[in-house]
Amino acid sequence: MTILVTGARGTIARALVGQLLEGGHDVRAAGRDPGRTRLPGGVEVVAADLARPESWDAALDGVTKAFLYAGTDGLGGFLSRAGGLTQVVLLSALGADPASEDAITRAHGEAEQAVRDAGIPWTFLRPGGFAANRLLWADSVREGVVRDPFPDSHAALIHEADIAAVAVRALTSSGHIGATHTLTGAESLTVRDQVSAIGRVAGRPVRVETQDLDDYRRELTAAFEARGLGRVGSAEVIEARIRRLAALVDRPQPTTETVLEVTGRPARTFAEWAEDHAEDFA
């Protein structure tokens, strides 16, 4: 059984590939630019782009299961060539709903519906937010100032290793076909608390300043464009993100026990994530 992991350059894909290899599973990774991946030696990495459906034929050859990102354009083209798969594990988002008025949850709900319509057995992972997105703060942490439009907004951010661990169970054990797993980190923290945790592992004081919303829009758009995530960084999606952040000011985000229930170990704390990424903020 060969498992295909898409988005090979991403933090979640890297964690998933590593955990699958540790479990003795055959893995193939796919991405638009294989030369820029940071994966363990010996992993087969192939070039494939969801914008070019025909590029997936070689990537899918001999594959039985696949891990996909819902937020990527071109999912339909991939699914049209993936009819022989026995399972797709789709990384979606909390609250995914194709009828939602929120651009983020609607886009992820549409992706889930596309997988259902393809007739491939599925498992959906719905995280509430990625701790790895805080890597965007790296330069700011080194400068000693993180700017954010909502410093008192809460998030229960999840470690990429925990998402990967749930994905491994979904891909390699029974009982997950047709399941939707809602994932969060261990606790809900404000932006100020997150910056404090990162500052401790970085070994320097880091203060938080309230950022102008227009500056935030420009910064976020540029960051997503640099990562080739045009749809994720669209104006409509960015406005939806802003509304979410505003709604969680002084309001903790509910957490789930799904990581513990699926993997047998509790979700890691944000402080643990910061420790694991101390070098990124040094």
Side-chain angles (χ1 to χ4, degrees):
M1 179 180 76
T2 298
I3 297 171
L4 177 68
V5 177
T6 68
R9 288 175 54 196
T11 55
I12 297 167
R14 292 200 301 270
L16 177 55
V17 167
Q19 292 184 30
L20 286 169
L21 289 175
E22 289 173 6
H25 302 285
D26 293 329
V27 186
R28 178 181 298 155
R32 287 182 299 174
D33 189 352
R36 298 180 64 185
T37 59
R38 293 184 294 161
L39 296 173
V43 175
E44 181 187 7
V45 185
V46 298
D49 185 348
L50 285 175
R52 297 186 301 107
E54 69 280 2
S55 69
W56 288 95
D57 291 341
L60 285 163
D61 184 36
V63 166
T64 53
K65 299 185 177 184
F67 174 83
L68 303 171
Y69 289 79
T72 310
D73 293 332
L75 180 62
F78 171 88
L79 293 172
S80 70
R81 286 172 146 75
L85 294 179
T86 61
Q87 184 187 18
V88 163
V89 173
L90 184 76
L91 184 64
S92 183
L94 183 69
D97 180 357
S100 174
E101 295 182 359
D102 180 283
I104 298 172
T105 52
R106 182 174 67 251
H108 285 85
E110 289 169 352
E112 289 185 354
Q113 189 59 53
V115 173
R116 291 190 189 96
D117 292 344
I120 303 169
W122 52 264
T123 305
F124 297 148
L125 308 185
R126 292 180 176 176
F130 304 146
N133 285 342
R134 294 321 190 203
L135 293 172
L136 294 172
W137 287 346
D139 289 340
S140 298
V141 168
R142 284 188 279 270
E143 294 169 0
V145 183
V146 168
R147 297 172 180 85
D148 189 274
F150 302 103
D152 297 304
S153 182
H154 277 256
L157 302 177
I158 186 168
H159 197 304
E160 63 272 9
D162 288 330
I163 297 175
V166 173
V168 168
R169 301 307 189 282
L171 287 161
T172 64
S173 61
S174 61
H176 298 281
I177 299 296
T180 298
H181 295 311
T182 301
L183 310 174
T184 70
E187 74 255 290
S188 180
L189 299 176
T190 65
V191 167
R192 297 185 194 278
D193 292 334
Q194 295 163 32
V195 170
S196 179
I198 292 171
R200 284 194 294 273
V201 303
R204 62 171 62 89
V206 185
R207 72 179 189 274
V208 180
E209 292 183 354
T210 302
Q211 183 179 26
D212 177 80
L213 270 178
D214 285 339
D215 286 344
Y216 175 75
R217 290 183 179 99
R218 286 190 290 269
E219 184 179 282
L220 202 59
T221 299
F224 284 127
E225 287 178 351
R227 294 162 63 189
L229 302 175
R231 183 180 182 186
V232 174
S234 70
E236 185 183 15
V237 171
I238 287 174
E239 293 308 310
R241 289 171 64 91
I242 289 171
R243 288 192 294 272
R244 285 187 176 194
L245 294 173
L248 288 169
V249 170
D250 296 323
R251 179 185 168 195
Q253 182 181 21
T255 59
T256 71
E257 296 294 323
T258 309
V259 173
L260 175 62
E261 293 165 358
V262 174
T263 71
R265 59 154 291 167
R268 294 165 174 84
T269 65
F270 187 81
E272 289 177 285
W273 178 86
E275 286 281 358
D276 290 342
H277 290 274
E279 291 185 1
D280 293 307
F281 297 101

